[in-house]
Amino acid sequence: MSQFENLDLKGFNQKYYDLEQTKFDQFQNNNGFMFLQRNGQRIYGGPPDGWQGPAPSRGCEVYVTRIPRDCFENELVPIFSKVGPVYEHRLMMEHTGVNRGYGYVRFTNVEDAKEAIKRLNNFEIRPGRYLVVTKSVD
């Protein structure tokens, strides 16, 4: 008999999912931004308060990879918001509720996107875990 036969991974995954869902709900309720999950991505944001006009132009988006798979908007958005207003944050998701390790952040202007690359590429999000932030091909 295998040592793994009696493991209830479904139960473990459900407990993990419920914990992350609780964090997600608290984050959403505390900041007033909308979330939408569509086509394997969770989308945070939309126009920031006071935004008028069309969506930001090309060049305002950065690609973020090496995101820990149990890291979500409640950790990521505050970090990127320190650089400048975030227009939209898209986190690629697995059907199990964990992220795929990458996402996109769209700022309101090109200068903030460039600054995010300078300041946040190789940013230590957790001990020994460093984000990779590069220009997105938007």
Side-chain angles (χ1 to χ4, degrees):
M1 182 160 111
S2 166
Q3 66 185 25
F4 300 109
E5 273 183 46
N6 294 326
L7 286 179
D8 181 9
L9 293 179
K10 185 175 185 218
F12 172 80
N13 286 340
Q14 188 62 47
K15 288 175 188 173
Y16 176 80
Y17 176 79
D18 290 344
L19 175 63
E20 290 306 320
Q21 187 65 42
T22 300
K23 290 182 197 174
F24 176 76
D25 290 343
Q26 290 171 344
F27 182 68
Q28 183 174 6
N29 292 338
N30 289 340
N31 67 34
F33 277 90
M34 295 298 296
F35 284 92
L36 172 68
Q37 187 150 345
R38 180 179 61 214
N39 298 329
Q41 54 185 317
R42 196 155 69 183
I43 303 168
Y44 163 87
D49 288 340
W51 181 265
Q52 294 182 4
S57 64
R58 292 178 60 104
C60 294
E61 186 174 84
V62 296
Y63 170 71
V64 185
T65 189
R66 297 190 124 178
I67 299 170
R69 294 185 48 109
D70 62 344
C71 182
F72 297 96
E73 293 86 351
N74 60 327
E75 289 181 72
L76 295 166
V77 172
I79 291 167
F80 285 93
S81 294
K82 289 179 182 176
V83 175
V86 172
Y87 184 86
E88 181 181 76
H89 178 275
R90 298 186 336 261
L91 187 60
M92 303 305 122
M93 301 294 293
E94 295 280 357
H95 69 279
T96 60
V98 298
N99 76 59
R100 292 179 176 238
Y102 71 98
Y104 301 87
V105 179
R106 186 188 298 188
F107 290 93
T108 57
N109 60 68
V110 175
E111 292 78 23
D112 288 343
K114 289 178 180 177
E115 186 65 20
I117 293 168
K118 286 181 195 170
R119 288 176 44 189
L120 299 177
N121 188 39
N122 291 316
F123 177 82
E124 188 173 22
I125 191 159
R126 293 190 182 156
R129 302 296 304 266
Y130 298 88
L131 295 177
V132 173
V133 181
T134 62
K135 187 177 184 302
S136 173
V137 182
D138 56 354

